[in-house]
Amino acid sequence: MFNLFLLQLLNGAQFGILLFLVAAGLTLVFGIMDFINLAHGVLYMVGAYLMATFAGMTGSYWFGLALALPATLVFGLVLEFLVFRRLYDRSHLDQVLATFGLILMLSEGVKILWGSAPLNVDMPALLSGSVPLAGPLQYPVYRIAVIAAGLASAVGLWALINHTRAGMLLRAGASNRPMVAALGVDISRLFMLVFAGGAMLAGFAGAIVAPILSVDPGMGESILILTFVVIVIGGVGSIRGAFLAAILVGVVDTVGRTFGPIWLRMVMDPAAASQTGRMVAPMLVYLLMAAVLFWSPTGLFGRKGAK
Amino acid sequence: MSTPATRTLAPRLSAALAIFVVMAAVPPLALALDDPFLMVIASRMLVFAIAALSLDLILGYGAMVSFGHAAYLGIGAYAVALGARWGVTDLLAQILLGMGMSAAFATVTGAISLRTRGVYFIMITLAFAQMAYFFFVAQSSLGGDDGVALQARSTLLGLPLEGDQTLYYTILGALVAIYAGLYRLTLSRFGRVLKGTRENALRMQAIGYRPFRYQLVAYVIAACLCSVAGVLLANLTEYVSPAYMSWHRSGELIVMLVFGGIGTLTGAVAGALVAVGLEELLAVFSEHWRLGFGLILVLVVLFSPDGLTGLMRRLGLRAPGLRNDGEGRGDD
């Protein structure tokens, strides 16, 4: 039982890391530009599809990853140039509509280009196999590598934001945009960089998850909504909040799905427990979100009075 | 005080009347053209007009951008499935059941969501709607993900809603009644407080109102009215599934509203007709109609915001004091 718990905990952490990679770019875009981008999940999906294509073309996971990352970055920049930069000054309603339209277009475009059937990406030989973990328990190396890559990105992001000039401007832009612009900083270029960085992180998450999950046209949307939950819990604009909330949501969701029915069986008969468990488990993260909001309407690390 | 408002609203009212009259003429036309599909499309248009109308109350008049409104469409639809299971086949009873369930869900989630503003509100309403979605996906007794087919349509006052015409005119009747009700409501004191809160919540507080209460009541009313559309939609398709409350549907409801113009009621009705019509039209050309629909949506938002009546109000919102239309003055 303990082994199963440990296993689910690790799976949850790995899922949380992925959520963080997608949420990091999105929370910065929300926080700094006050821009609601529903199409962020599409970048995660596009990253996975480009990975599948390039890995298939070159026959190598690593070449695929090396090509997919810049390609997602370019894709994000093109979207920013064509659509998003015209939306920064618009109302939230316009932003919701335009990015919703983009989701419809891009999801359908992916279906036309790659078909609706799920694609698979082969795991690199270096990272396949498992390592022993606490007694008889084995854990796949690839999932550990995903956790490590995500943690490295998180540390890199933290260093970038707290210890570089670009990060300083970014923090300044988040707290007072007009003032930073008045000091002579090219704020629209800063926005573009934030957006491109966020796009690449989301694409990275999609690319590294491709060998574990199947790559399908719905993957962007399912992660987008959980990403929203993460951002709401963590507080808009807070990278630290996004990290903690992402791990929390990942663990609660994964552990809840496995252990919900098991724990419920202790207090009710098995049939009712599995029915209730199946009903409650997918709702757990939303209940968590509601609880956090009830306690603090701007999330765990949200700015007081933030819009 | 209501005289200037009534005068400015009169053209809208007559436009809505014209739409209702044209829609009432559809069944004989479909019969004459021998085109039953026309009836199906027109029925869908009317059902979604009800849903869009209910969203207009909170989005247009209350400036609450809910991205989870389709949840109530789904709850209404499930009220029909549950009612049929429990032996309640009367349409009005099912509407009451749907309203009850919606009111309960909307009161709890609305009270939590309304603690927040801006992008938070959008994301939270979306998340709560997803929660409702997963709740119904997990109900294996109601078909889970696949949904459940209804044995028969509901009855209305003991008479079965058989025949597409009967159902069509029932839907049209519901639409007209809800339009009239919302029209009265938005002109009432309640509606004026709601509009005042939209313009400036702080000032409303300063003159002694609690915006939260009014917003929550509006949120619950909108949810209840949307569930009526859900009950009718389930009767129309004779099928209920969680897909009715998918977040795509919530997005489409907002699209309808913005196509027609927010905060006018008539715009919601017109927008629903245009959006459903556009979907059906594009679907004729290609199974990949979403590509075209999305493109049109992006282009409309980017390049033709002036065509949307909503933009004027939002500009007014951004610079209060610079622009003060007659209606706004009437409220002060």
Side-chain angles (χ1 to χ4, degrees), chain B residues 41-303:
Chain B
I41 297 177
S43 309
R44 279 178 62 85
M45 286 177 168
L46 295 182
V47 166
F48 282 107
I50 296 176
L53 259 183
S54 69
L55 182 61
D56 201 17
L57 177 67
I58 49 173
L59 200 153
Y61 289 88
M64 297 175 256
V65 183
S66 166
F67 206 130
H69 206 57
Y72 303 106
L73 199 65
I75 290 175
Y78 272 100
V80 178
L82 284 172
R85 177 149 306 173
W86 298 332
V88 181
T89 55
D90 188 71
L91 190 74
L92 296 175
Q94 288 173 342
I95 285 177
L96 278 180
L97 180 65
M99 281 187 166
M101 297 197 304
S102 296
F105 188 64
T107 308
V108 175
T109 61
I112 296 172
S113 307
L114 281 170
R115 287 166 64 84
T116 64
R117 292 282 166 272
V119 292
Y120 278 102
F121 187 82
I122 299 173
M123 290 191 283
I124 288 160
T125 47
L126 172 58
F128 277 131
Q130 280 304 106
M131 191 172 101
Y133 175 82
F134 285 122
F135 177 82
F136 283 107
V137 165
Q139 302 299 316
S140 44
S141 62
L142 285 169
D145 213 357
D146 297 327
V148 57
L150 299 174
Q151 300 289 334
R153 281 181 181 162
S154 312
T155 53
L156 183 58
L157 305 173
L159 299 168
L161 280 176
E162 269 165 24
D164 290 339
Q165 289 217 9
T166 320
L167 182 63
Y168 184 88
Y169 284 114
T170 308
I171 299 173
L172 187 62
L175 174 64
V176 173
I178 287 174
Y179 181 92
L182 282 176
Y183 184 77
R184 292 297 307 164
L185 186 71
T186 51
L187 286 180
S188 69
R189 176 172 167 279
F190 176 84
R192 287 168 181 279
V193 174
L194 200 61
K195 276 187 275 185
T197 307
R198 173 187 76 197
E199 302 299 331
N200 195 325
L202 204 62
R203 283 191 198 170
M204 289 309 288
Q205 263 176 322
I207 59 172
Y209 289 99
R210 282 199 195 163
F212 176 81
R213 285 183 185 175
Y214 289 86
Q215 287 177 319
L216 184 59
V217 170
Y219 190 80
V220 174
I221 292 175
C224 290
L225 293 179
C226 192
S227 75
V228 176
V231 170
L232 296 170
L233 183 64
N235 271 294
L236 184 63
T237 56
E238 296 183 54
Y239 177 71
V240 178
S241 91
Y244 291 162
M245 50 173 79
S246 81
W247 70 286
H248 271 241
R249 192 70 80 186
S250 297
E252 278 165 27
L253 289 181
I254 299 182
V255 171
M256 290 170 189
L257 210 49
V258 173
F259 270 0
I262 64 170
T264 60
L265 296 183
T266 306
V269 177
L273 304 193
V274 170
V276 174
L278 189 63
E279 273 181 33
E280 298 291 345
L281 190 70
L282 290 171
V284 170
F285 290 113
S286 163
E287 57 168 324
H288 299 295
W289 61 270
R290 283 197 179 83
L291 192 70
F293 194 76
L295 185 67
I296 291 172
L297 196 52
V298 173
L299 292 178
V300 163
V301 175
L302 287 187
F303 298 112

Side-chain angles (χ1 to χ4, degrees), chain A residues 251-274:
Chain A
V251 169
V252 165
D253 192 51
T254 311
V255 173
R257 275 172 206 271
T258 317
F259 279 86
I262 295 177
W263 285 330
L264 281 171
R265 213 165 292 161
M266 296 174 188
V267 289
M268 52 175 85
D269 67 284
S274 70

Side-chain angles (χ1 to χ4, degrees), chain A residues 90 108 236 279 293-294 298, chain B residues 115 120 124 139 288 301:
Chain A
R90 299 290 195 82
E108 206 61 42
V236 165
M279 199 172 78
L293 282 178
F294 194 75
T298 52
Chain B
R115 287 166 64 84
Y120 278 102
I124 288 160
Q139 302 299 316
H288 299 295
V301 175

Side-chain angles (χ1 to χ4, degrees), chain A residues 78-92:
Chain A
V78 169
L79 280 187
E80 204 270 352
F81 182 76
L82 287 180
V83 181
F84 295 135
R85 65 173 47 180
R86 297 164 210 273
L87 293 172
Y88 294 145
D89 296 330
R90 299 290 195 82
S91 70
H92 287 145

